């Protein structure tokens, strides 16, 4: 149901964008000047990654930040910077939560099935699961660093690629690319929903491989 709501929200946003002329805007000078100014600013990439990582590590939703990366830096560079930012944010939050739990004498819950690589990977791929909640939850269940980093590095890639690419296409629509960006943005939304369902079908196909991997 949450995926249906997500798809509906994306569809409504795209319809509003099309109605308001977002995909066929002809007055693009202000947008181009702003993007160019940010891209050519000294240390803009370092500043973006730092702000993204710090904000996401304390619970700020990552989707708007990912979209901003795509708008400002374009698809290719934006994907790289967003992925690096996600990894830094996740590592900061995970380390902080582990330290806090250790000081409070936290005892790891006896739930081995929630401590493996594949369970975390599945939750990372599904875009409706809060990014910050997974970071803290991983510390709560005492995941090992290699497991946490590996599942996070792979799990955030699909949504990072699709959201960043979609944002870049929306900017293309603003600068006068017609209907093509809208079509690509819609297709990207469909792709990310399909990707979110892949772990579910894998789990049903291989029920004996869902145990803990540490």
């Amino acid at each position: 149901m949450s995926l249906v709501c997500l798809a509906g929200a994306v569809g409504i946003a795209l319809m509003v964008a099309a109605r308001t002329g977002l995909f066929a805007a002809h007055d693009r000078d202000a947008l181009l000047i702003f993007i160019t100014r940010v891209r050519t600013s000294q240390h803009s990439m370092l500043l973006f990654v730092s702000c993204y990582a710090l904000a996401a590590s304390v619970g700020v939703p990552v989707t708007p930040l990912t979209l901003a990366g795509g708008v400002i830096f374009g698809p290719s560079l934006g994907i790289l910077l967003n992925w690096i930012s996600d990894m830094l944010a996740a590592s900061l939050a995970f380390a902080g939560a582990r330290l806090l739990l250790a000081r409070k004498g936290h005892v790891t819950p006896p739930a081995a099935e929630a401590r493996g690589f594949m369970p975390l990977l599945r939750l990372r791929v599904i875009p409706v699961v809060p990014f910050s909640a997974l970071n803290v939850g991983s510390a709560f269940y005492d995941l090992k660093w290699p497991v946490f980093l590996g599942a996070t590095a792979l799990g955030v890639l699909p949504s990072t690629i699709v959201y960043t690419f979609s944002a870049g296409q929306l900017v293309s629509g603003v600068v006068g690319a017609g209907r093509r960006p809208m079509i690509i943005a819609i297709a990207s939304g469909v792709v990310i929903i399909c990707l979110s369902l892949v772990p579910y079908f894998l789990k049903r196909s291989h029920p004996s491989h869902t145990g803990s991997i540490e």
Side-chain angles (χ1 to χ4, degrees), residues 3 5 8 22 25 32 37 43 73 105 107 109 143 153 169 176 187 194 209:
L3 290 176
C5 294
L22 176 63
L32 290 175
R37 183 179 300 171
H43 307 309
F73 298 104
V107 178
L143 259 68
Q169 291 302 313
C194 292
H209 294 85

Side-chain angles (χ1 to χ4, degrees), residues 47-136:
L47 181 61
F48 172 79
V49 170
S50 300
C51 292
Y52 187 134
L54 290 174
S57 68
V58 296
V60 175
V62 298
T63 300
L65 300 172
T66 303
L67 294 174
V71 168
I72 296 172
F73 298 104
S76 299
L77 183 57
I79 289 171
L80 176 61
L81 295 178
N82 283 334
W83 182 81
I84 292 174
S85 301
D86 283 336
M87 292 302 297
L88 289 175
S91 298
L92 287 172
F94 182 66
R98 283 171 61 98
L99 180 61
L100 182 61
L101 290 171
R103 288 183 175 179
K104 291 187 175 183
H106 169 71
V107 178
T108 304
E113 69 275 8
R115 298 172 56 189
F117 178 90
M118 286 305 299
L120 178 58
L121 178 62
R122 286 194 292 268
L123 293 174
R124 287 293 192 196
V125 170
I126 300 174
V128 295
V129 177
F131 180 81
S132 56
L134 288 179
N135 298 329
V136 176

Side-chain angles (χ1 to χ4, degrees), residues 154-178:
L154 294 176
V156 301
L157 266 179
S159 58
T160 297
I161 292 173
V162 174
Y163 285 140
T164 306
F165 184 77
S166 299
Q169 291 302 313
L170 290 174
V171 172
S172 297
V174 172
V175 298

